[in-house]
Amino acid sequence: MANHIIKICGIRDAEMAKQTANAGANLIGIIFHPASPRYVNLEQATAISIAARNAGALPVAVFVNHTDVEMRNICESTNIDIVQLHGKIARAHHHLLPDTYQRIYVQNLSDKGEIQIESGLEYLDSERDFVLIDHIVPGQGNRIQRKGFHYDLPFPWILAGGLSPSNVVAAINDLQPNGVDVSSGVESSKGNKDIFLIQKFITSVRGLHDAA
């Protein structure tokens, strides 16, 4: 498999975005859900987006139950064209967004490891979009139920849910995703990213390819 995509989610300032991109992250997640401890406003998000692009990574707008109008307004304000879709509304409305937007469509797993299919999956483009598999309660460091899980959707996919520098290699070897996504697993405290943990996470993933 080609190099795995690495997404670091919940970055809250431009300097951390720069350092994270310089460490080798491909995607920088910016959260627009006000209830999240990692939420940022438009001004902060714009600065993060600029810093990520300047350092060689791409910004991702993370939405939870935003409408297509809300998502498009935020993306246009922040110069972001990759959207991560949580919640029934965002997933149902994404087909109304421009085709130039790349989608990361979140699917949660049941306790039995079964994918909870939501409205909007049928509008994904297998040449453009990704499915992200996460725990049903995202952002809390909870691991997905791997027993019984088998990925068979016709889209490349990203694994999330309880990943950390210490377990990401085993998770990749076990499930063979196209990419990995981490947030709480690289924080020193809730909502506060630790660049040393981020570097360790990225080094662990990249080491898989160095050893191949």
Side-chain angles (χ1 to χ4, degrees):
M1 180 182 289
N3 280 358
H4 293 87
I5 293 167
I6 298 176
K7 177 173 172 284
I8 309 296
C9 200
I11 298 295
R12 296 196 299 162
D13 66 83
E15 180 58 28
M16 184 59 73
K18 176 184 176 181
Q19 292 181 34
T20 299
N22 285 337
N26 305 106
L27 302 175
I28 302 293
I30 305 171
I31 296 180
F32 292 97
H33 182 45
S36 171
R38 304 169 185 95
Y39 168 78
V40 294
N41 60 36
L42 281 178
E43 182 179 358
Q44 293 168 312
T46 300
I48 295 167
S49 174
I50 292 170
R53 289 184 184 278
N54 287 344
L58 294 176
V60 177
V62 179
F63 294 119
V64 180
N65 280 330
H66 292 72
T67 67
D68 60 294
V69 173
E70 291 170 329
M71 290 190 285
R72 186 165 185 168
N73 286 341
I74 289 172
C75 286
E76 289 178 351
S77 296
T78 56
N79 190 29
I80 298 175
D81 54 16
I82 306 175
V83 296
Q84 182 168 315
L85 306 159
H86 294 259
K88 292 181 181 297
I89 296 173
R91 287 182 287 206
H93 283 211
H94 82 83
H95 70 284
L96 299 172
L97 295 173
D99 289 340
T100 52
Y101 286 16
Q102 185 177 33
R103 281 80 159 156
I104 299 176
Y105 185 97
V106 179
Q107 292 283 256
N108 305 113
L109 294 189
S110 71
D111 292 338
K112 296 181 180 179
E114 299 171 340
I115 297 175
Q116 305 295 288
I117 300 297
E118 296 286 350
S119 173
L121 184 70
E122 66 272 22
Y123 296 109
L124 295 184
D125 183 337
S126 62
E127 298 297 320
R128 177 194 64 198
D129 303 324
F130 287 85
V131 166
L132 185 147
I133 300 296
D134 200 356
H135 190 272
I136 197 165
V137 182
Q140 303 298 316
N142 298 317
R143 297 189 189 186
I144 66 167
Q145 174 55 262
R146 295 183 191 177
K147 185 177 181 180
F149 170 65
H150 174 68
Y151 185 81
D152 57 4
L153 297 175
F155 312 101
W157 71 287
I158 298 170
L159 173 65
L163 297 179
S164 69
S166 62
N167 67 25
V168 65
V169 170
I172 290 173
N173 288 334
D174 187 23
L175 299 177
Q176 297 296 307
N178 301 98
V180 288
D181 183 359
V182 65
S183 183
S184 61
V186 290
E187 291 180 344
S188 55
S189 60
K190 194 166 188 177
N192 296 309
K193 291 294 183 287
D194 184 322
I195 189 58
F196 298 106
L197 290 176
I198 290 172
Q199 290 168 340
K200 187 175 180 181
F201 184 90
I202 294 171
T203 298
S204 296
V205 177
R206 299 300 180 218
L208 283 167
H209 306 284
D210 294 339

